[in-house]
Amino acid sequence: MWRGIIHAYRPFLRIASIDPITLHEGNTPLLQAPRLARAIGFSGSLYLKYEGLNPTGSFKDRGMTTALTQAIAEGARAVICASTGNTAASAAAYAARAAIPAIVLVPAGKIALGKLAAALAYGAKVLAVEGNFDEALALVRRAVEIYPIALVNSLNPYRLEGQQTAAFEICDQLGRAPDWLCIPVGNAGNITAYWKGFRAYKQAGRIPSLPRLLGVQAEGAAPLVLGHPVDRPETVATAIRIGRPARGAEALQAVQESGGRFIAVSDEEIMEAWRMLAALEGLFVEPASAASIAGLRRALAQGVLSPQVEVIVAVLTGHGLKDPEIALRTLSSPIPVQAQWDAFRRVLEPIIEKSVPITSPQEVRG
Ligand code: F0G
């Protein structure tokens, strides 16, 4: 039975050896995506690591099981974080599991509905900060210097201990490391954790070679592409609306060591990739997650990736149900129909004629 990432990868994780605080996170699918690969002009094998299938709907759960386990081992009485939403929901869930309170700071009005609803449901104290993520994180960092509460942002090293297990899983599922790993970057903890994980697996002799990293940022929030902080980050992908990534320096070093690249993509490119993931592969993700595909598409078009590349893994960081508003705002509305046969038929027939070439209702039934 799968019992979460700590149980599965304990020898690789430097954390306290108490019983884990877990929701059995991890063990997410690695799906091949041939239609999407063709559509973005890639002839090798493209795989998607579907992290939206973690217990609270994002990859954050991998780092939260380790952060909360360590916090409990060290006697923490409460946890705190700043968040664009997913960290908040995950911290709230794992704190509930650990029976301690969670305080989460989110940028007012800039957090997707599903994340806010979840954080509230798990019982966190949710503080809506009149400012962006970077400002909220600065407040939290100051608070933990004064008060006896544990910080569970990815500045906390135990978050990275857990998040590196996604790299382990990819290697275990593929039987090798990919040639390239495409990953959206906000506060830069996750890309740092993946690189740590791949390096640890190579050192342990589990994989012969390391992947190159393609770190993807949104154009309006791309400090690691621009080479300087962004004071007023803006993007439709609210999860990565971050201008001063706390682990930016480490992420830059990881990408450089890997022989990879940072790349920025527009909101339009992100939304196009978001639609393609759902329509071509049946994967409904949140916009930030689609950034990895938008970045890959752009990198292919610009010749950043050589045509010899065989295996690419793109990380889909969060579930689409986190951000239902973006779907309703950008896609066509449902077609209203009266609950009567004739009225229904008048609406139905043109739809059927457009999608399946038929001549009579008889053939449809057959
Ligand atoms: N994708 C999603 C869905 C995210 O929620 C985040 C970060 C990222 C990608 C980027 O990961 O920050 O480690 O570079 N969300 C954080 C949060 C900031 O508060 O939920 P990163």
Side-chain angles (χ1 to χ4, degrees), residues 71-135:
I72 291 299
E74 291 176 8
R77 308 277 292 278
V79 294
I80 190 166
C81 66
S83 177
T84 55
N86 281 323
T87 298
S90 186
Y94 283 80
R97 196 87 176 150
I100 59 172
I103 304 162
V104 305
L105 279 68
V106 299
K110 294 289 183 181
I111 164 174
L113 197 63
K115 304 175 188 180
L116 183 60
L120 292 167
Y122 295 129
K125 275 274 172 277
V126 181
L127 309 182
V129 176
E130 297 292 336
N132 61 35
F133 168 85
D134 304 295
E135 292 164 308

Side-chain angles (χ1 to χ4, degrees), residues 57-60 82-88 115 133 153-154 159 163 183-191 239-240 242 286 288-289 316-319:
S58 84
F59 70 93
K60 306 286 181 179
S83 177
T84 55
N86 281 323
T87 298
K115 304 175 188 180
F133 168 85
N153 278 104
S154 59
R159 281 278 309 278
Q163 282 173 215
I183 181 167
V185 177
N187 210 25
N190 209 28
I191 192 170
I240 52 172
I242 293 172
E286 64 171 291
S289 305
L316 305 180
T317 47
H319 203 286

Side-chain angles (χ1 to χ4, degrees), residues 20-365:
I21 306 297
T22 179
L23 289 162
H24 293 192
E25 58 296 311
N27 197 24
T28 56
L30 185 69
L31 296 162
Q32 210 164 354
R35 287 186 78 201
L36 181 64
R38 260 198 305 282
I40 63 172
F42 178 55
S43 53
S45 300
L46 172 62
Y47 293 87
L48 307 172
K49 184 64 171 162
Y50 195 15
E51 288 288 277
L53 290 194
N54 275 296
T56 78
S58 84
F59 70 93
K60 306 286 181 179
D61 297 342
R62 292 181 186 275
M64 221 46 88
T65 181
T66 42
L68 261 293
T69 298
Q70 186 68 27
I72 291 299
E74 291 176 8
R77 308 277 292 278
V79 294
I80 190 166
C81 66
S83 177
T84 55
N86 281 323
T87 298
S90 186
Y94 283 80
R97 196 87 176 150
I100 59 172
I103 304 162
V104 305
L105 279 68
V106 299
K110 294 289 183 181
I111 164 174
L113 197 63
K115 304 175 188 180
L116 183 60
L120 292 167
Y122 295 129
K125 275 274 172 277
V126 181
L127 309 182
V129 176
E130 297 292 336
N132 61 35
F133 168 85
D134 304 295
E135 292 164 308
L137 183 58
L139 295 174
V140 165
R141 290 175 85 155
R142 207 160 152 189
V144 296
E145 280 175 18
I146 304 171
Y147 303 105
I149 34 179
L151 174 79
V152 293
N153 278 104
S154 59
L155 283 162
N156 177 330
Y158 300 103
R159 281 278 309 278
L160 302 202
E161 287 297 317
Q163 282 173 215
Q164 68 175 330
T165 61
F168 300 161
E169 281 181 21
I170 289 171
C171 297
D172 291 344
Q173 288 166 316
L174 275 180
R176 54 167 286 186
D179 297 312
W180 279 83
L181 180 93
C182 308
I183 181 167
V185 177
N187 210 25
N190 209 28
I191 192 170
T192 303
Y194 268 83
W195 187 238
K196 177 177 157 67
F198 286 123
R199 282 201 346 246
Y201 244 35
K202 178 151 184 274
Q203 210 157 26
R206 302 277 183 112
I207 48 169
S209 59
L210 295 167
R212 291 171 190 253
L213 302 178
L214 185 73
V216 188
Q217 300 209 285
E219 261 171 13
L224 299 175
V225 178
L226 298 169
H228 59 76
V230 174
D231 282 334
R232 270 180 286 278
E234 261 326 324
T235 169
V236 67
T238 53
I240 52 172
R241 187 174 166 271
I242 293 172
R244 295 175 185 274
R247 289 201 183 259
E250 286 156 275
L252 282 168
Q253 199 186 332
V255 165
Q256 197 182 4
E257 267 176 39
S258 80
R261 273 278 290 273
F262 273 105
I263 198 165
V265 290
S266 68
D267 280 1
E268 291 69 36
E269 290 174 289
I270 291 174
M271 293 315 292
E272 173 69 14
W274 174 84
R275 279 188 290 271
M276 288 169 98
L277 275 162
L280 298 180
E281 299 292 354
L283 292 165
F284 182 35
V285 299
E286 64 171 291
S289 305
S292 59
I293 296 301
L296 171 59
R297 191 181 193 188
R298 193 185 257 229
L300 287 164
Q302 291 179 351
V304 171
L305 276 65
S306 85
Q308 278 88 50
V309 169
E310 289 169 9
V311 178
I312 297 177
V313 171
V315 183
L316 305 180
T317 47
H319 203 286
L321 291 173
K322 293 271 185 176
D323 196 350
E325 285 172 309
I326 191 72
L328 297 177
R329 228 175 29 239
T330 57
L331 302 174
S332 56
S333 305
I335 304 158
V337 57
Q338 289 163 353
Q340 284 150 3
W341 174 246
D342 286 339
F344 167 57
R345 204 171 168 183
R346 271 197 301 280
V347 174
L348 182 67
E349 274 189 358
I351 296 170
I352 293 180
E353 270 158 30
K354 238 174 126 181
S355 36
V356 270
I358 49 152
T359 47
S360 75
Q362 208 60 39
E363 281 180 44
V364 179
R365 275 197 297 274

